[in-house]
Amino acid sequence: MGDQNRRRRAYDQPGGGYTEHGHRGGGRGGGGGFKRRRDDGGGQEDGIKPLLASIIRLCDQLPGQPPPAIEEDLDVLQRTLARDLVTKGAALRRIILDCAVELSPKTPVYATLIGLLNTDNPQFVAELVALAQAEFNEAVAAPDRHKARMLLRLFAALVVANVLHPSSVVAALQQVVDAAIAVAEAGGTADSGRGWQPYADHLAYAALAALPWGGSELADSAPAEVGRLFESAERYMGMRPRAVQPALRPFFDARGDADAAAASDSGGASFLGQVWDAVSELRTTGNWVVTSIPRLFYAFEAALAAGQPHDLPPLTIPLTLPGAPLGTSPTEAAAALAAAFPARGLIRLLPAEHTEQGKPRIERLVAEEYILDTLHYFDGDRVQCARRLAMGLPLPDKHESLLAEMLFSQMLRLPAPAFKPLAYSALMVDVCKLVPTFPRSMSACVRECFARLGVMDPELRVRLSEWLAYHLSNFEFMWPWDKWRAVLDAPPHDSQRRFTVATLSRLVRLSYWARIESVLPPTLHGLLPPKPEVQSLDAPAPHAENGLANGENGDAPMPEAAAEPDAETRRAREVLDLVRRKEPAPALLTWAKQPALAGELGGAAGIVACVLRALLVAGAKSFTHMLIMLERYHAALEALLVAAGPQGEEAAVATAARVWEAAPQRAAQAIDRLLALRLVRASAVVRWAFSTPAVLALRDELGAGLAWEAFHGAVAKTLARTQDAREELAAAQAAMADAHVAAAAPYEPAEGAAAPPAEEIEAAAAAAAAVTRAAEDEVTTKEAELSETLEEERELLLLAFTLFRDTLAAGHAELQAAASATAAAADAAAKAAADAAIAAVGSAAAAEPAAGVDEGPTAEGDRGGAAAAAAREAERRAWFAFTLASLRECARRYGAAAAPLVARLEAEVFAEGAAPAEVRATVHEGLHY
């Protein structure tokens, strides 16, 4: 599901070399990757494998099997492990600790197992506790926020199993909260605490969320210490500058006062308040029993009481912010911290009666923790993840609604999901097959999102559309399409109509046009995109909008080709003839130097458009054919683009979009290849995107979707190049350091050889010096490349934000003018009505209209004109809101890269007077989320 690199665990035993991925890799029960080395005994490896399988499978609910006999399983495993604690102690400590962390729904199970082992071998458990404490210190410094939180949970659960003294665990939790307070005191309120609050919030969250696993054993055994812990937590809650993050809200407007979905901020700053309320409720009521946390110690109370509890050593919690690179500005450090401690991911899409079922808030919190932990630790095994989510969580009631809401929340998390959206799409397909009632809850989430499309973040609309298209492609495109027929009567700028058009376009990408047409009701055929075909050279070049999107599917016959095609089409045919004869690139350049050509095609940019159009038509058969054409004539295109300058690059991008207007996917691929081959710069794509009519009005969803896709693709490619340059520089610096070390080392001859002559020593020193100089030169080169890519990146971001500002400023002025005109028209209408009323007094003869005179059309025409004006104004307002939300999205998505530019952006690009106040507030919110 994800691309995170997982650290392999080596359970080193004398004579053994077994390496295991925990519960991943080869599956439950022993895993893959095991291979006995010829020179090893292998006996202990063979002994570890079944023990590992038994520990991992402990109390698992297997498909088609009755519920596990927990007491019996624990008792058997305890007796099995007791025999191997001495010979395989180190490996078993590591395995048990990893399972307790990564199989978090079974934390009480493993805590009970540790408690039982404590009665047999207290020394083994004492060393396990020391190992857990050391790993917590490493995790919190790394930072590995998931592991640190899981270990605190385990410490609390070990109190219930009589393994740890309650006072030592409460002291550890107090340390964590005190560290959060110290970070808050040192950080202050500058920039709303962005430079420290994500880290401090995580510390407080980890400490508070661990308390339910300790339950009444903590509260009753150390009441004074727990009271001080709550006082400290309450103090920290009052120190937080931000209680919510508006820029992370998936919906930028609410339906009413108590709109939980609109109030959600993707589990950002508001989430800690929810944790605090849930845990405080436990303390207020005095009932610490959480039905979602198994209370296994009752079955082993006598055995566990015989154990001797240990003290948890004090924890080490850094007060310096982890994840923030040294030497960066506060804005850059805040962006890095936000990336290291992102929002948790939570959107309230369904009614509380379905997700909470009238239970205390802590029950929902614990269930959410189970779901998120399973997603995180099973990211490499989608099938196992789906199975555990469907039937492996220790929840007493059905949880399909909560599971659906959490999966949608994670997929729609801002500023970015933990994994690629496709991971959640594939997971939901598996869960639908495992849980027959899950699709109903999933459909409820879709309905809620569909109803809020008008106020949904633009980025999330794209994610939702892509998910729906993928999901339907896995279920024969079955969907209650008739329920969406209402969008047919909506105007082109309506958000639900645009979403439907975008989804149908993505369905065509995943299948083929005729297939999608066959599954749609005939009433919705008008919303299908045109057939994905290349623009033929048999017709003139349509430089204007051709009306093939949003309601015209391209089935209508094309207008007859002109008897004499336009100059570009005629000349493109000549180029196509050259290409089909496989003429080399110089021949194409010779053709482009014809004296009359520039005049016919409108200059050098016109020549670029003509040549590229012919090449794209020649490579229309497939992506590979297109790539071959562009690479074969790369030199010719590069020369023509250099001659044409920036206008030529924009013309090339526009031509790619025009040739594949009926197939946005192919157009996006063509633009991406032009960028990858360095034929056009990202700035040309950005300028083209903001010049397209589809971006300047909400009438062509396919064109707008292509423009925004190309825009984000160009920015992402630029950022990726910068990251590549950083990695290459780091590798060059490491090689240079190695070269310096090697050069400084004395020359040593081969073992047993005589002392080398001075000439040999000098030659070796000269060779080492040459390697060092080459490494230093490489570093210098890579530093220059990084500086160049950074400059390109910053210029691109400045350009993008400037174009956003100019576009929104023009739209804002247009809306203000329209509002003034509407007000003036209303005043004029009111004055005319008053004048007519005065004139009507004493004019009884005028009460009856003359025979044959019809005053209706004039009044109806006035009303029609007013209605049209109101519709235009509504469209412009919808466009302005969408584009403003797109600006917020851009600022949020590229905030880390734009961090060095924030001061310049706010002081120059979005200075007071340069942009409307609404625009300035939006970009500030996005950059400082």
Side-chain angles (χ1 to χ4, degrees):
M1 285 177 59
D3 55 359
Q4 297 180 354
N5 295 321
R6 298 298 188 193
R7 183 175 62 182
R8 292 175 179 263
R9 300 259 186 218
Y11 303 112
D12 299 322
Q13 294 292 318
Y18 178 65
T19 300
E20 173 60 30
H21 289 266
H23 53 270
R24 296 186 211 45
R28 288 163 40 199
F34 174 80
K35 185 176 181 181
R36 183 184 303 169
R37 292 181 293 189
R38 294 180 181 273
D39 55 344
D40 288 338
Q44 292 189 3
E45 292 177 350
D46 293 337
I48 282 291
K49 284 194 68 176
L51 291 177
L52 175 66
S54 299
I55 296 172
I56 290 176
R57 290 180 174 179
L58 180 62
C59 301
D60 269 356
Q61 173 66 63
L62 300 177
Q65 299 294 324
I70 298 179
E71 293 84 357
E72 181 180 349
D73 289 353
L74 277 169
D75 185 60
V76 171
L77 184 59
Q78 176 206 0
R79 285 187 276 108
T80 302
L81 295 180
R83 297 191 295 266
D84 297 299
L85 293 182
V86 176
T87 58
K88 302 181 178 69
L92 290 177
R93 277 191 293 273
R94 174 67 65 187
I95 293 171
I96 294 173
L97 189 58
D98 286 350
C99 288
V101 168
E102 301 191 12
L103 299 174
S104 66
K106 297 195 294 183
T107 295
V109 175
Y110 292 112
T112 304
L113 174 63
I114 295 171
L116 294 174
L117 294 176
N118 190 44
T119 63
D120 294 330
N121 193 329
Q123 181 61 32
F124 171 84
V125 173
E127 293 174 1
L128 187 148
V129 169
L131 176 63
Q133 182 259 5
E135 294 219 344
F136 173 85
N137 293 340
E138 294 177 6
V140 76
D144 184 346
R145 62 185 190 281
H146 296 283
K147 185 174 182 178
R149 179 168 52 85
M150 293 299 100
L151 286 170
L152 283 182
R153 178 188 299 180
L154 177 62
F155 295 152
L158 289 176
V159 172
V160 181
N162 197 33
V163 174
L164 293 178
H165 285 295
S167 57
S168 67
V169 173
V170 177
L173 298 179
Q174 182 73 53
Q175 273 189 279
V176 177
V177 176
D178 287 345
I181 293 174
V183 170
E185 290 175 338
T189 59
D191 198 10
S192 300
R194 287 181 66 240
W196 59 265
Q197 187 172 331
Y199 173 52
D201 275 6
H202 165 72
L203 293 176
Y205 157 46
L208 292 174
L211 287 172
W213 272 263
S216 57
E217 284 73 12
L218 276 178
D220 297 342
S221 301
E225 291 87 343
V226 171
R228 286 194 294 272
L229 176 64
F230 271 84
E231 291 173 1
S232 298
E234 187 173 15
R235 180 188 171 198
Y236 173 73
M237 295 299 295
M239 299 173 68
R240 302 167 70 227
R242 293 195 296 181
V244 68
Q245 290 175 269
L248 299 184
R249 284 177 174 160
F251 309 107
F252 49 81
D253 201 1
R255 285 181 169 181
D257 294 335
D259 192 341
S264 302
D265 62 353
S266 293
S270 67
F271 173 66
L272 184 59
Q274 298 170 18
V275 176
W276 170 248
D277 291 341
V279 177
S280 297
E281 185 180 26
L282 288 177
R283 184 170 182 244
T284 301
T285 61
N287 181 12
W288 287 87
V289 176
V290 181
T291 59
S292 302
I293 301 177
R295 309 286 288 178
L296 305 178
F297 71 96
Y298 290 123
F300 302 94
E301 191 169 6
L304 294 175
Q308 180 64 37
H310 307 269
D311 282 324
L312 177 65
L315 306 179
T316 302
I317 302 160
L319 301 183
T320 56
L321 304 178
L326 298 176
T328 57
S329 67
T331 305
E332 294 175 87
L337 193 67
F341 299 93
R344 183 171 180 264
L346 179 60
I347 308 174
R348 299 297 180 96
L349 292 173
L350 300 179
E353 57 264 26
H354 297 303
T355 57
E356 299 178 9
Q357 302 174 345
K359 295 182 178 180
R361 284 173 284 190
I362 195 66
E363 297 284 357
R364 175 185 172 119
L365 175 64
V366 170
E368 289 175 0
E369 295 283 276
Y370 287 155
I371 294 171
L372 296 181
D373 297 341
T374 303
L375 287 173
H376 175 74
Y377 284 110
F378 283 86
D379 67 312
D381 190 342
R382 191 194 75 226
V383 175
Q384 188 66 236
C385 182
R387 185 176 299 162
R388 289 184 177 270
L389 289 174
M391 60 187 70
L393 305 182
L395 302 178
D397 301 308
K398 291 184 177 180
H399 61 285
E400 291 87 349
S401 295
L402 179 61
L403 178 58
E405 186 177 84
M406 290 304 297
L407 290 178
F408 270 86
S409 297
Q410 291 299 300
M411 182 177 69
L412 302 179
R413 191 183 80 172
L414 291 174
F419 311 111
K420 292 182 178 180
L422 182 61
Y424 303 101
S425 303
L427 183 61
M428 279 191 264
V429 168
D430 289 345
V431 176
C432 282
K433 297 175 181 178
L434 291 171
V435 185
T437 56
F438 180 77
R440 179 178 299 177
S441 300
M442 186 188 68
S443 297
C445 293
V446 177
R447 286 195 301 273
E448 185 66 21
C449 290
F450 188 77
R452 296 173 178 270
L453 284 172
V455 294
M456 180 179 264
D457 187 89
E459 181 180 0
L460 300 190
R461 298 186 201 186
V462 174
R463 287 192 215 167
L464 186 66
S465 177
E466 290 178 342
W467 164 80
L468 183 57
Y470 176 86
H471 190 81
L472 296 182
S473 70
N474 282 272
F475 292 96
E476 299 296 328
F477 305 102
M478 296 175 60
W479 188 254
W481 296 110
D482 287 335
K483 294 184 178 180
W484 286 12
R485 284 183 299 179
V487 303
L488 293 170
D489 300 326
H493 69 269
D494 179 77
S495 57
Q496 293 182 345
R497 181 187 178 106
R498 290 164 46 218
F499 178 83
T500 305
V501 171
T503 302
L504 293 178
S505 175
R506 287 181 171 85
L507 285 174
V508 172
R509 292 188 183 193
L510 295 174
S511 181
Y512 53 97
W513 190 91
R515 169 65 172 145
I516 303 304
E517 184 192 36
S518 68
V519 300
L520 281 181
T523 53
L524 291 180
H525 285 180
L527 297 181
L528 268 175
K531 292 182 178 180
E533 298 172 347
V534 71
Q535 179 197 97
S536 174
L537 289 181
D538 295 333
H543 291 279
E545 293 290 303
N546 63 7
L548 287 180
N550 286 341
E552 297 182 34
N553 61 19
D555 284 339
M558 293 291 292
E560 294 184 4
E564 182 64 29
D566 65 307
E568 181 186 298
T569 302
R570 187 176 66 254
R571 291 294 194 171
R573 291 175 184 172
E574 297 177 9
V575 178
L576 183 60
D577 184 58
L578 290 173
V579 170
R580 285 176 174 169
R581 296 202 310 265
K582 296 187 178 180
E583 296 287 348
L588 196 57
L589 287 175
T590 302
W591 173 90
K593 293 178 181 178
Q594 298 179 63
L597 194 61
E600 288 183 32
L601 299 177
I607 297 176
V608 169
C610 177
V611 171
L612 182 60
R613 182 183 176 192
L615 293 176
L616 292 177
V617 171
K621 185 176 181 179
S622 68
F623 174 80
T624 303
H625 283 75
M626 178 191 69
L627 188 58
I628 290 173
M629 288 294 105
L630 294 178
E631 290 179 345
R632 179 179 297 170
Y633 294 98
H634 180 275
L637 279 173
E638 186 176 34
L640 294 174
L641 284 164
V642 169
Q647 289 184 345
E649 294 183 27
E650 291 184 44
V653 177
T655 300
R658 178 160 50 90
V659 169
W660 283 109
E661 183 178 22
Q665 183 181 26
R666 295 295 302 273
Q669 291 173 345
I671 294 172
D672 180 76
R673 287 302 89 193
L674 292 175
L675 283 166
L677 294 172
R678 304 295 181 100
L679 292 171
V680 301
R681 289 170 292 183
S683 58
V685 179
V686 170
R687 290 185 186 277
W688 165 80
F690 277 93
S691 67
T692 55
V695 168
L696 301 177
L698 297 179
R699 297 175 186 172
D700 178 8
E701 178 61 23
L702 296 183
L706 170 62
W708 288 118
E709 182 179 357
F711 169 83
H712 289 298
V715 177
K717 191 173 288 292
T718 301
L719 300 186
R721 286 173 179 168
T722 303
Q723 182 61 29
D724 290 345
R726 286 195 177 99
E727 293 174 358
E728 291 172 2
L729 175 59
Q733 289 172 335
M736 182 180 70
D738 292 342
H740 279 293
V741 171
Y747 178 73
E748 296 181 0
E751 186 176 354
E759 293 81 2
E760 182 177 338
I761 297 176
E762 292 176 1
V771 171
T772 302
R773 285 194 300 272
E776 292 172 347
D777 293 342
E778 182 69 9
V779 168
T780 302
T781 301
K782 295 303 179 182
E783 286 176 342
E785 291 178 359
L786 176 59
S787 178
E788 181 182 349
T789 55
L790 279 173
E791 184 62 25
E792 181 182 353
E793 175 186 294
R794 291 168 183 171
E795 288 180 357
L796 180 67
L797 291 173
L798 284 173
L799 173 64
F801 283 110
T802 301
L803 291 173
F804 261 116
R805 179 202 64 189
D806 295 344
T807 303
L808 285 167
H812 187 267
E814 183 181 348
L815 286 176
Q816 284 188 322
S820 300
T822 301
D827 292 342
K831 185 177 184 302
D835 293 343
I838 294 173
V841 177
S843 302
E848 295 291 335
V853 176
D854 185 6
E855 296 181 350
T858 301
E860 184 177 348
D862 292 342
R863 287 194 297 272
R872 285 195 299 271
E873 185 175 352
E875 177 188 348
R876 297 309 294 165
R877 291 193 180 281
W879 170 86
F880 186 81
F882 177 82
T883 309
L884 194 65
S886 299
L887 171 61
R888 181 188 295 108
E889 173 205 347
C890 183
R892 185 183 58 228
R893 181 185 292 195
Y894 307 121
L901 302 172
V902 167
R904 183 176 174 185
L905 285 171
E906 294 181 340
E908 299 177 12
V909 180
F910 295 97
E912 186 174 359
E918 189 174 359
V919 175
R920 289 188 287 110
T922 297
V923 76
H924 179 83
E925 183 181 277
L927 291 172
H928 296 268
Y929 77 85

